[in-house]
Amino acid sequence: MKPALYSEKLTENKVQCKLCPHNCKINDGKTGICLVRKNINGELFSENYGKVCSIAFDPIEKKPLYHFYPGSIILSIGSVGCNLKCKFCQNWEISQTSVKNYPYLKDYSLTEILNIALENKQNTGIAYTYNEPTVWYEFMLDIAKQAKKNKLKNVIVTNGFINKEPLKEIINYMDAFSVDLKAFTEEFYQKYTSSKLEPVKETIKFIKGSGKHLELTNLVITDLNDNEQTFSKMIDWIAGEIGKNTVFHISRYYPTYKMNNPATSKSTLLKLYEIAKKKLNYVYLGNIRTGEGQNTFCENCRNLVVTREGYFTDSKGLDDEGCCVYCKQKIM
Ligand code: SF4
C-alpha cells in the first residue's frame, strides 16, 4: 500500500483519482472502478503496490511485440485490477478482482524484482503485463526508474485508457508499448468494456509522437467487432495517423468470462488480415496457426526476414541493426 499519485482531495473526505479518464470520485473507505485505488480517511492509496500475482520470463513475442528485440525473453510481472470491464477478458480472474479478494498475491520489493531481472543475463528487461499495468502505476513507475538506470528495457502491455499527465510521466521510462485497440466504435467501448475509445486513440497518437516503440493489437470477436467496414476504418486511421509501418496484430478470440460468442473463424481472420495488409506493412495473426501470418517480410524487397513458429523466432534475415540483410531496409 502506498499513497497514490494523481489524486485530489475533495470535500467531505472524498478524493478524486485522476489517473485514468474515469476520474473516479471516491468516498471514504471505497475503491475506484479499478478496485485497487482506495480512499482511506480522505487520502487515496494504491492497494496493489508491491503485490504480484505473476512473475515469469516470457518470450517477448507473447506480449505481443514482434519488432522489439525479436526472439528475446523478458521478465513479465503483473498484479490485480483493471479500469476496464471487458466482458471478453481473457485474464478476468486477476483483472476483475481486488487485493482483498485474491489470495494468491505475493509481496515483492522493488529490489527483489530488480535482482530477478538482472540475475538472468539473457533477460531484455521488464514487461508490465497480465492485468492492466496502468492501475499499478506507482509500483510500475518505481521499478521502471530503477530498471532504466540498470540498462533494462521497460515494456508496457496496456489498454491505453490513461490520462495524459500520468502517461507523459511514465513514457519517459518506457521503451516499448503494446496497446490493445479493442474496436473502432464508441458504442463497442461503452457496451463491452465500460470505457471510451477516444482516450485510447489519444494515447496511441501520443505514444507515436514520443518516438517510443509501439505495436497495436486488435482482438477480433465474432459478431461484435468483425464488421469489415468498421475494421477498414480502423486500419485507415492507423495508416493515416500512426503510419503504414505500424506493427498490427490481429488476435483470435475464444469464448471466455461473460462472452459466449463462438471463437473467431479462420476465414474471418484471414479476410481482415488481407484488408489490413493493403494499408499496413507489418500485420500479424495471433492465437491461431497459419502459414505465414506470424512471419515478417521486408516491406521493401518482400524477402522473408523473420520466421516464427509458436514462440520460436528465427531472425536470420535481419542484421544487428534490425535491417533486412537482402536490401538493408530498416525494419526494427
Ligand atoms: S485508475 Fe481506477 S480509481 Fe483511478 S480513475 Fe481510473 S478507475 Fe478510477
Side-chain angles (χ1 to χ4, degrees):
M1 181 105 74
K2 197 171 182 181
L5 298 169
Y6 299 101
S7 67
E8 191 180 309
K9 292 189 179 195
L10 305 174
T11 54
E12 295 166 1
N13 254 10
K14 279 187 185 176
V15 283
Q16 183 166 25
C17 176
K18 296 188 166 177
L19 182 58
C20 90
H22 286 310
N23 293 312
C24 299
K25 289 181 179 166
I26 308 167
N27 288 328
D28 194 4
K30 302 287 182 199
T31 59
I33 289 170
C34 59
L35 305 176
V36 289
R37 297 171 80 76
K38 189 171 184 179
N39 178 344
I40 300 173
N41 296 327
E43 198 181 339
L44 192 64
F45 286 86
S46 164
E47 272 202 310
N48 57 357
Y49 190 95
K51 306 278 180 196
V52 175
C53 80
S54 281
I55 178 161
F57 288 99
D58 282 345
I60 203 154
E61 281 75 12
K62 202 173 171 182
K63 301 303 113 195
L65 285 175
Y66 277 19
H67 286 218
F68 190 76
Y69 295 87
S72 68
I73 55 160
I74 189 156
L75 182 68
S76 302
I77 55 174
S79 186
V80 289
C82 184
N83 48 354
L84 267 56
K85 302 282 163 207
C86 302
K87 293 184 166 50
F88 46 87
C89 183
Q90 296 173 330
N91 286 338
W92 62 272
E93 291 99 332
I94 55 168
S95 71
Q96 304 302 318
T97 190
S98 60
V99 171
K100 178 172 73 163
N101 290 320
Y102 194 77
Y104 310 110
L105 289 165
K106 281 195 179 155
D107 287 304
Y108 278 83
S109 71
L110 194 55
T111 316
E112 281 171 320
I113 290 182
L114 269 177
N115 286 343
I116 296 169
L118 289 166
E119 269 164 21
N120 186 336
K121 299 299 169 213
Q122 310 297 317
N123 180 34
T124 307
I126 301 179
Y128 310 92
T129 178
Y130 303 134
N131 70 317
E132 171 52 42
T134 56
V135 302
W136 208 25
Y137 191 87
E138 292 74 12
F139 197 50
M140 174 171 65
L141 185 64
D142 285 351
I143 300 171
K145 285 178 180 173
Q146 293 306 319
K148 197 174 171 70
K149 275 189 194 156
N150 284 279
K151 305 212 176 334
L152 292 166
K153 302 292 175 199
N154 284 303
V155 163
I156 176 167
V157 182
T158 176
N159 59 34
F161 198 66
I162 181 170
N163 282 335
K164 194 61 75 57
E165 287 309 312
L167 176 61
K168 268 187 195 165
E169 185 176 7
I170 199 86
I171 212 164
N172 294 318
Y173 305 98
M174 289 295 151
D175 297 282
F177 287 76
S178 171
V179 181
D180 218 357
L181 180 56
K182 294 174 190 287
F184 210 60
T185 65
E186 285 294 350
E187 190 200 351
F188 179 98
Y189 263 83
Q190 201 179 7
K191 200 165 167 189
Y192 298 106
T193 77
S194 303
S195 70
K196 296 186 192 123
L197 167 63
E198 202 50 41
V200 178
K201 286 165 72 181
E202 287 302 313
T203 294
I204 291 170
K205 284 197 281 187
F206 190 80
I207 297 167
K208 177 65 187 173
S210 75
K212 298 294 169 97
H213 183 78
L214 168 68
E215 300 193 17
L216 302 177
T217 298
N218 176 232
L219 181 77
V220 177
I221 305 168
T222 312
D223 298 333
L224 286 196
N225 63 352
D226 57 356
N227 176 279
E228 288 179 34
Q229 280 77 39
T230 315
F231 184 85
S232 297
K233 272 190 202 161
M234 177 169 69
I235 298 301
D236 287 343
W237 180 81
I238 296 170
E241 293 277 349
I242 317 299
K244 62 184 174 46
N245 282 342
T246 305
V247 181
F248 184 68
H249 302 265
I250 298 171
S251 187
R252 186 184 202 185
Y253 144 90
Y254 288 93
T256 184
Y257 193 36
K258 295 180 179 172
M259 190 66 72
N260 293 318
N261 295 28
T264 325
S265 70
K266 194 170 176 180
S267 61
T268 299
L269 292 165
L270 290 174
K271 227 182 299 166
L272 300 180
Y273 176 66
E274 290 306 323
I275 291 172
K277 277 209 311 181
K278 282 189 187 134
K279 301 276 171 75
L280 302 173
N281 285 327
Y282 298 106
V283 182
Y284 300 103
L285 282 170
N287 270 350
I288 188 170
R289 291 269 166 112
T290 56
E292 310 228 288
Q294 285 77 44
N295 294 339
T296 303
F297 294 86
C298 173
E299 72 198 60
N300 182 44
C301 67
R302 304 310 304 161
N303 272 303
L304 176 62
V305 289
V306 183
T307 313
R308 296 181 186 86
E309 187 63 51
Y311 289 121
F312 176 75
T313 303
D314 179 355
S315 32
K316 271 204 288 279
L318 293 176
D319 66 17
D320 291 346
E321 267 74 56
C323 298
C324 171
V325 295
Y326 306 101
C327 71
K328 299 293 166 210
Q329 172 70 38
K330 178 82 178 148
I331 296 178
M332 302 189 183

